[in-house]
Every structure is written in structure tokens, then in C-alpha cells.
Amino acid sequence: MEKKALLYEGKAKRIYATDDPDLLIAEYKDDATAFNGLKKGVIANKGILNNKISAFFFTLLAQSGVESHFVKLLSDREMLIKRAEIIKVELVVRNIAAGSLAKRLGLEEGWVLPRPVVEFYYKDDALGDPFINEDHIAVLGLATAEQVKFMAAQALMINEILTAHLKTCNVILVDYKLEFGLHHGKVLLADEISPDTCRFWEATTKEKLDKDRFRRDLGGVEAAYQEIYKRLTGGEQ
Ligand code: TMP
């Protein structure tokens, strides 16, 4: 698969064209940002780890019937993906109060929610990805009601699959963010699923094994990403 023009560069990935108009290459970078780009840094080997962790999760989800843009791994930092037009709605699923939910509703971090909660955010860097509801999605024309219903149902199905698998690794899935895209009119899970986009807590110690270590200057950031990779695959990078 030949890597062609750079189509898009985001905060954590570069997207390249290939010789097949239906396929793109996602290249994962070590760059890390937080708080809508206000905090910047580099996490050594993050690109390699997130590429492989995402590939692991996309493969696991495919085995349970959740289709994503993932086609195959190409190299340490690159995966082949289906071309999809990203829907400008980010879905966050929460199992435990943390981060912005804890802050917004005055909840203690670590409070186990009685049931999972699905939230929507408008994917717009200039606005700082504001919290929105289904009416906002409709009036902004971001997605149809049917697409929203499908994405929310997929997000909850993904929650069951990931939570169950991570439990076998002694990791708690606290919350995570998903993005979907349109591929020939079909809604597909897109972007990545990694310690950048999820909160993972070690089940016994409740130690944070995700990007909160970077956001909150806790140290041991690369080691946390390595630990997630190791628990999922049994290997080291
Ligand atoms: P939050 O508590 O800051 O709203 O984050 C909820 C989840 O979404 C958490 O697992 C981190 C993830 N997330 C992203 O992937 N990208 C983002 O820009 C933000 C703010 C959160």
C-alpha cells in the first residue's frame, strides 16, 4: 500500500492518502496535548503504543460485530483505515465519575454510576468541544436522529465488550471518548481507542493508567501506556 499525500494532521495523528481512494493510512505521533491544546508535550513511544492498542481494541470489537474503520496494522506507527468522513459529534461513555463530569456535577471522582451515561460533545476545537444534546445535534445538522441513535447504541455495546475484556486484565474502564465516520453512507466507528481517549484505572490500586498522568503531571506517563499494552497483549514495546 503506497503512502501518498498528507491529507490531514491532527493533534495525535497524521492521515495520508493511498493509491486506493477508499483507504487511508493513519500515522500515530508521540505528541500529546491536553485542555484543548493549551498543554503540549511528547510521550515517548505513545504513537507506537496507541497504534497497537487501538488495533487490539478494533480487532476485539470486530469479533463482536462492531464495525470500525480499522483494516490492518502496517507498521509500528501506522494502520490502514477505511476512508470515512468524521461526524462532528464526540460520544463519551462514563461508568465512573471522573474528569469533567465530576467537576460539572460536583461528584467525587470514583463514584460508580448506577448505570452507564452517554454524552455528546460538538467536535469543534475553536469552541473547545462543548457539551451538546440531541436537539443541538439536530439543529446544527451534525447527524440524523437515526445516526445518533445508532452511535449511542454502538457506544453502549462497545462499553460492554471493553469493560468485560479489561476486567480480565484487572483494569477498570472509567470512561472513554468515541468518534464515528461515514463510509459510503454507513456509520463506522473511527479515530482511536487508547489511553489518550479512555480513562483506565488499575482495578486493585486504582492507579491511573492513561493520559490523566500527563494532564495532571503525575509522572510515569509512558510506563502507564506500556502497562496497558502489556496487559492487553502480554508483550512489551
Ligand atoms: P472528560 O472527563 O475530560 O470530559 O473526558 C471524558 C473522556 O473522554 C476521558 O476518557 C478522556 C476522553 N477525552 C478525549 O478523548 N478527548 C478530549 O478532548 C477530552 C476532553 C476527553
Side-chain angles (χ1 to χ4, degrees), residues 90 92 94 98-101 121 129 175-177 196-199 215:
E90 298 187 354
V92 168
R94 302 182 186 269
S100 71
L101 178 75
Y121 293 84
D129 298 345
D175 56 31
Y176 55 94
K177 185 262 300 175
D196 268 14
T197 62
C198 304
R199 284 194 174 94
R215 294 188 190 98

Side-chain angles (χ1 to χ4, degrees), residues 145-161:
E146 194 191 341
Q147 287 167 345
V148 173
K149 205 169 147 195
F150 177 76
M151 291 190 289
Q154 290 275 106
L156 288 171
M157 196 201 282
I158 291 166
N159 196 37
E160 292 194 9
I161 299 162

Side-chain angles (χ1 to χ4, degrees), residues 123-136:
K123 184 175 164 62
D124 185 315
D125 278 342
L127 296 174
D129 298 345
F131 187 80
I132 51 173
N133 68 22
E134 293 181 61
D135 278 349
H136 299 126

Side-chain angles (χ1 to χ4, degrees), residues 2-232:
E2 204 188 325
K3 197 168 174 179
K4 297 205 150 182
L6 174 68
L7 298 180
Y8 171 78
E9 178 153 7
K11 286 179 278 202
K13 293 187 286 298
R14 293 187 193 94
I15 305 293
Y16 293 89
T18 70
D19 37 29
D20 182 334
D22 262 350
L23 297 173
L24 305 174
I25 292 172
E27 182 190 83
Y28 285 68
K29 306 191 283 186
D30 288 347
D31 299 345
T33 65
F35 315 119
N36 200 26
L38 278 178
K39 183 181 169 96
K40 288 191 175 71
V42 169
I43 301 170
N45 298 313
K46 175 172 85 82
I48 297 173
L49 291 159
N50 282 358
N51 183 37
K52 295 187 178 178
I53 291 168
S54 293
F56 178 90
F57 282 132
F58 286 138
T59 304
L60 178 77
L61 291 169
Q63 287 161 3
S64 299
V66 176
E67 275 189 70
S68 77
H69 69 165
F70 176 71
V71 179
K72 63 175 179 175
L73 276 175
L74 293 175
S75 70
D76 270 0
R77 289 180 183 274
E78 295 166 313
M79 59 169 62
L80 189 64
I81 58 175
K82 292 179 188 164
R83 181 190 285 266
E85 190 196 330
I86 294 295
I87 296 172
K88 295 204 170 302
V89 177
E90 298 187 354
L91 283 86
V92 168
V93 180
R94 302 182 186 269
N95 297 305
I96 293 181
S100 71
L101 178 75
K103 204 170 166 190
R104 194 167 59 242
L105 301 186
L107 302 170
E108 193 181 334
E109 267 212 346
W111 183 60
V112 180
L113 307 184
R115 65 172 180 83
V117 165
V118 179
E119 299 174 346
F120 305 105
Y121 293 84
Y122 180 19
K123 184 175 164 62
D124 185 315
D125 278 342
L127 296 174
D129 298 345
F131 187 80
I132 51 173
N133 68 22
E134 293 181 61
D135 278 349
H136 299 126
I137 295 172
V139 297
L140 293 175
L142 303 179
T144 66
E146 194 191 341
Q147 287 167 345
V148 173
K149 205 169 147 195
F150 177 76
M151 291 190 289
Q154 290 275 106
L156 288 171
M157 196 201 282
I158 291 166
N159 196 37
E160 292 194 9
I161 299 162
L162 298 190
T163 297
H165 187 82
L166 285 160
K167 200 170 172 192
T168 68
C169 309
N170 208 39
V171 171
I172 298 170
L173 181 60
V174 174
D175 56 31
Y176 55 94
K177 185 262 300 175
L178 300 174
E179 295 183 25
F180 292 83
L182 284 172
H183 177 75
H184 294 299
K186 192 174 188 325
V187 179
L188 281 187
L189 176 64
D191 197 47
E192 65 181 275
I193 303 179
S194 72
D196 268 14
T197 62
C198 304
R199 284 194 174 94
F200 297 122
W201 290 357
E202 209 290 326
T204 310
T205 64
K206 306 290 189 291
E207 187 193 350
K208 296 182 200 314
L209 297 175
D210 57 61
K211 195 175 165 188
D212 269 350
R213 301 203 73 85
F214 170 76
R215 294 188 190 98
R216 303 180 189 189
D217 294 320
L218 300 176
V221 188
E222 187 199 346
Y225 284 59
Q226 286 279 7
E227 184 63 25
I228 290 295
Y229 179 77
K230 197 165 116 188
R231 289 197 188 199
L232 289 172

